[in-house]
Amino acid sequence: MQRVAVQRNDQRARNERNAQRRAGRLRRGLVCAAAVPAVALFAAACSSGSGDSAKDVGGGSNPATAPAGSTTAPSSSTVQAAKYQTLPKPCAALSKKTLTQLVPKGVTSGKDGASDDTATRSSCSWSSLDNNGVKGSQFRWLNISFLRFDSDAGRGTGDKQAEAYYTTQLQDAQSVSGAKNTKSVPVTGAGDQATVVRYDLKKKEGAFKQQTVVARVANVVVTVDYNGAGLAGEKTPDADTLTKAAEAAAKEAVAAVATGGNGSAPATSSPAATPSKSASGSPSASASPSKSSAKKG
């Protein structure tokens, strides 16, 4: 009887342990079953949030999945178009009255300078020799040149390029070899910028008085070279008189640019311009005051 009781107690203990193990497995199963939907919902929420963020940042599409080549290429750089698109005819830029004052014996002697593009660069020169026989003679030489710059996306606006060239022209006029008593004075009423450079230059023919006026109107640079000398015993001309005459010629040449010259109107400025090769190279020798004055003065 005692042995039977012991066996029954052992069986009861095993049954209780088995029941506890089954209860434990059931609880873990229920916990895991409840956890799976929560994980799935969290994953779904993160996925949905990522999609919405991509649309907000990318403007409606996911950048990672956008087709190749779908982005818009940036537009090319543009600059403000140059104000003047043409130049006046240089030999017709000055009135007969002005020419009579500057080159009294050479009004009809105007000669066009060499140019491969007269819409970009041009020039004209006149010479006058008033021969008074044994009393000597008065010599005058006049040259006007125009240089126009087009706006260019790489080089900048026509005005900016013209301003840089204006500075270079002044420096050339102020550094002529052999010049004496050099003086630079601003000129009013001749475009956006204007300066006259005057100096004395002695040559084998006589003592010359040189005047160079450099003026800028928007994208065009106007250079006026004017010199005079008394030859073979004739007295040297008055420098102040020559300077006033050169300034008057420069103002008239600038006005010819502003009105288009020969009755044509200046071009209308458009908002933007594409790159252009016009007037991008170095100016011709006819546009250089130091070279032209050294040649004739």
Side-chain angles (χ1 to χ4, degrees):
M1 292 293 292
Q2 185 176 2
R3 183 182 301 171
V4 173
V6 171
Q7 291 176 348
R8 287 178 180 176
N9 289 334
D10 291 340
Q11 183 64 37
R12 187 180 300 110
R14 286 194 296 271
N15 291 340
E16 288 178 356
R17 288 195 295 270
N18 290 336
Q20 289 175 356
R21 284 197 293 269
R22 285 195 299 271
R25 285 196 297 270
L26 179 60
R27 285 195 298 271
R28 287 195 296 271
L30 291 176
V31 169
C32 291
V36 169
V39 173
L41 289 174
F42 177 76
C46 292
S47 175
S48 176
S50 299
D52 291 342
S53 298
K55 290 181 180 179
D56 291 342
V57 175
S61 62
N62 190 334
T65 59
S70 62
T71 57
T72 303
S75 59
S76 59
S77 299
T78 57
V79 292
Q80 185 70 25
K83 183 175 183 179
Y84 299 110
Q85 301 296 316
T86 60
L87 292 174
K89 293 181 179 179
C91 290
L94 302 181
S95 66
K96 183 177 180 180
K97 179 181 178 181
T98 298
L99 290 173
T100 300
Q101 293 174 344
L102 274 69
V103 286
K105 297 297 182 178
V107 174
T108 60
S109 66
K111 182 180 180 181
D112 283 307
S115 174
D116 57 355
D117 183 3
T118 56
T120 298
R121 54 170 61 85
S122 62
S123 65
C124 187
S125 62
W126 298 259
S127 61
S128 173
L129 183 63
D130 187 3
N131 193 339
N132 296 313
V134 296
K135 295 182 179 180
S137 58
Q138 286 289 335
F139 174 77
R140 301 288 186 274
W141 182 76
L142 170 67
N143 184 87
I144 62 171
S145 64
F146 300 92
L147 187 62
R148 184 182 64 82
F149 294 86
D150 281 331
S151 294
D152 184 277
R155 298 179 181 87
T157 65
D159 285 26
K160 180 181 178 181
Q161 296 177 68
E163 187 172 358
Y165 181 68
Y166 167 85
T167 300
T168 299
Q169 285 288 75
L170 280 182
Q171 293 173 346
D172 286 348
Q174 293 165 345
S175 58
V176 173
S177 178
K180 302 293 184 182
N181 305 318
T182 302
K183 183 179 181 181
S184 300
V185 180
V187 178
T188 59
D192 300 306
Q193 296 174 280
T195 303
V196 59
V197 181
R198 50 190 282 185
Y199 54 84
D200 300 333
L201 193 64
K202 190 168 182 63
K203 290 184 171 289
K204 62 180 181 179
E205 297 88 353
F208 286 80
K209 298 290 184 179
Q210 171 70 34
Q211 282 67 226
T212 298
V213 183
V214 184
R216 180 184 70 84
V217 52
N219 60 308
V220 177
V221 176
V222 179
T223 305
V224 174
D225 285 308
Y226 184 50
N227 63 42
L231 306 178
E234 181 65 282
K235 66 179 182 178
T236 302
D238 179 65
D240 290 338
T241 301
L242 295 181
T243 299
K244 289 180 180 179
E247 291 178 355
K251 292 177 182 180
E252 196 167 321
V254 166
V257 173
T259 59
N262 306 298
S264 62
T268 302
S269 176
S270 58
T274 54
S276 171
K277 295 182 180 179
S278 300
S280 60
S282 300
S284 61
S286 61
S288 171
S290 59
K291 292 182 180 179
S292 57
S293 60
K295 183 186 296 184
K296 295 293 184 179

